[in-house]
Amino acid sequence: MPLKIVFMGTPEFSVPTLEALIKNKFNILSVYTQPPKKSKRGQKINVSAVQEFAKKNKLNLRTPESLNSDKEYKIFKKLSPDLVVVVAYGKLIPKNFLNTAKFGFINIHASLLPKWRGAAPIQRAIMNGDTKTGVSIMKIEEKLDRGPVLKIKELDLDQNATYGETEKKLSIIGANLLVESLKNIEDDSAKFTDQIHSQATYAKKIDKNETKINWSLDASKVIAHIHGLSPNPGAWFEYENERFKVLRANKSSASGNPGTLLDENLTVACKSYSIQILEIQRQGKNKQTTKSFLLGKKISKGSILT
């Protein structure tokens, strides 16, 4: 008999795993995802990527505002799952829930644990200039990302790849690794290894206050910052009281005073070397290549970007 599974996930990153569970004929009892949210202007209701996928595939769906109620606990317990798969659900799971499934709660975490526990592991790995990242399949315990690990798979980090691109790769790796892990659990060959907690580092949530580009850093660090925040929330600079997001850049050997535009092709000086902006986005507009952007907006050589 296939494992009876409850799935918990919310963003696009979670969808490949849910898709893989269906493809491999696991018995999905229910899908939990965060409830729909109003857009910033309140005109549109946005449902999660997981909700869209679950509805399309006619899966039993729950979108509770919180799991911290007797009602939600009773509903969940009645499902009587063998195992719960959690992929970027975005809500804390109460302790009483963790004891309900026969094989516990299994999580896909997008880092090489114990490195980069926490909310933003992919972004922090890129921003830190790491050469490797990866996926860890772990058992959820009460404390954040501290549970024993079943499987790990590495991915070499391409310094020219953005957070969004790396996240897509890791979502596929994670889905495949999870299916392998579930088969190990089914045939009783799963071996969990405790993390070395003294080696843990933490990937705190991205704060708006750290998204502004600091031209006084070396070019390689500026690029890591840009790519780690692309496409969202986006690293930015200001020019003539307008904010511009930089979504992709590469390193240039040109040099000058930090923040100074060195040519007509959006090459900007850093502390050492410079970056050439390849993709940019004006406020309220779609992203553009530098070539397309410059057809409509000129920023003169020698301008200072703040």
Side-chain angles (χ1 to χ4, degrees):
M1 289 287 288
L3 288 171
K4 295 183 296 179
I5 291 172
V6 169
F7 180 86
M8 295 179 157
T10 298
E12 192 65 42
F13 180 81
S14 314
V15 172
T17 302
L18 186 52
E19 197 168 14
L21 292 175
I22 293 171
K23 185 178 177 181
N24 285 274
K25 296 183 168 47
F26 287 100
N27 181 7
I28 302 170
L29 303 173
S30 188
V31 172
Y32 279 68
T33 190
Q34 290 207 39
K37 293 180 179 178
K38 286 186 178 181
S39 60
K40 287 181 181 177
R41 296 181 182 181
Q43 301 298 315
K44 186 181 175 185
I45 301 296
N46 297 314
V47 301
S48 75
V50 165
Q51 181 168 340
E52 283 187 1
F53 183 86
K55 283 193 170 182
K56 185 179 175 182
N57 288 275
K58 297 180 171 57
L59 300 173
N60 180 33
L61 180 70
R62 285 202 61 74
T63 59
E65 286 287 348
S66 170
L67 298 176
N68 287 302
S69 71
D70 289 339
K71 177 189 172 186
E72 282 303 327
Y73 177 63
K74 284 176 184 175
I75 291 168
F76 186 82
K77 192 174 181 182
K78 194 174 180 181
L79 292 168
S80 191
D82 293 322
L83 185 112
V84 182
V85 172
V86 182
V87 189
Y89 179 43
K91 286 184 179 294
L92 288 175
I93 297 163
K95 184 179 178 181
N96 58 344
F97 277 67
L98 297 178
N99 300 321
T100 55
K102 181 179 178 182
F103 297 110
F105 282 58
I106 300 295
N107 177 234
I108 296 178
H109 186 75
S111 82
L112 302 173
L113 289 171
K115 191 168 188 181
W116 298 131
R117 295 172 176 173
I122 305 171
Q123 297 99 314
R124 295 295 175 192
I126 296 170
M127 292 165 73
N128 193 53
D130 292 1
T131 58
K132 289 183 183 294
T133 185
V135 168
S136 302
I137 308 295
M138 57 165 284
K139 185 173 281 189
I140 294 180
E141 294 186 344
E142 198 175 353
K143 292 184 179 178
L144 180 68
D145 298 334
R146 289 175 60 96
V149 174
L150 176 54
K151 286 182 182 287
I152 283 183
K153 185 149 187 158
E154 289 187 350
L155 173 70
D156 289 334
L157 263 179
D158 177 355
Q159 301 304 309
N160 294 315
T162 65
Y163 153 59
E165 291 163 345
T166 304
E167 183 184 52
K168 281 183 182 177
K169 284 184 182 178
L170 290 174
S171 71
I172 302 299
I173 291 170
N176 293 332
L177 199 62
L178 180 88
V179 169
E180 284 180 35
S181 301
L182 295 186
K183 288 176 179 175
N184 290 152
I185 290 169
E186 279 184 320
D187 64 22
D188 204 28
S189 64
K191 292 181 180 178
F192 288 86
T193 304
D194 288 337
Q195 295 183 45
I196 302 171
H197 300 305
S198 61
Q199 295 179 2
T201 58
Y202 289 87
K204 66 178 182 177
K205 187 177 178 181
I206 302 297
D207 190 284
K208 287 181 181 179
N209 294 329
E210 60 182 315
T211 54
K212 186 176 182 179
I213 296 171
N214 180 0
W215 303 112
S216 296
L217 297 174
D218 295 340
S220 57
K221 289 186 177 179
V222 172
I223 290 171
H225 181 235
I226 288 166
H227 290 172
L229 299 178
S230 176
N232 287 305
W236 56 274
F237 65 85
E238 282 186 337
Y239 176 71
E240 293 182 341
N241 296 318
E242 186 178 356
R243 186 175 291 193
F244 299 84
K245 286 184 182 180
V246 182
L247 302 176
R248 193 184 300 273
N250 62 17
K251 191 173 178 179
S252 169
S253 59
S255 60
N257 292 325
T260 304
L261 199 65
L262 300 176
D263 58 24
E264 304 294 337
N265 296 312
L266 297 190
T267 301
V268 189
C270 303
K271 180 182 178 183
S272 62
Y273 299 102
S274 56
I275 70 157
Q276 183 180 13
I277 296 170
L278 302 177
E279 288 182 3
I280 191 167
Q281 184 175 11
R282 296 183 76 166
Q283 281 181 297
K285 305 290 184 182
N286 293 326
K287 73 175 183 180
Q288 294 177 290
T289 63
T290 293
K291 185 177 179 181
S292 297
F293 170 81
L294 291 172
L295 293 174
K297 174 72 176 179
K298 295 293 181 186
I299 303 180
S300 303
K301 179 181 176 181
S303 297
I304 305 298
L305 310 183
T306 60

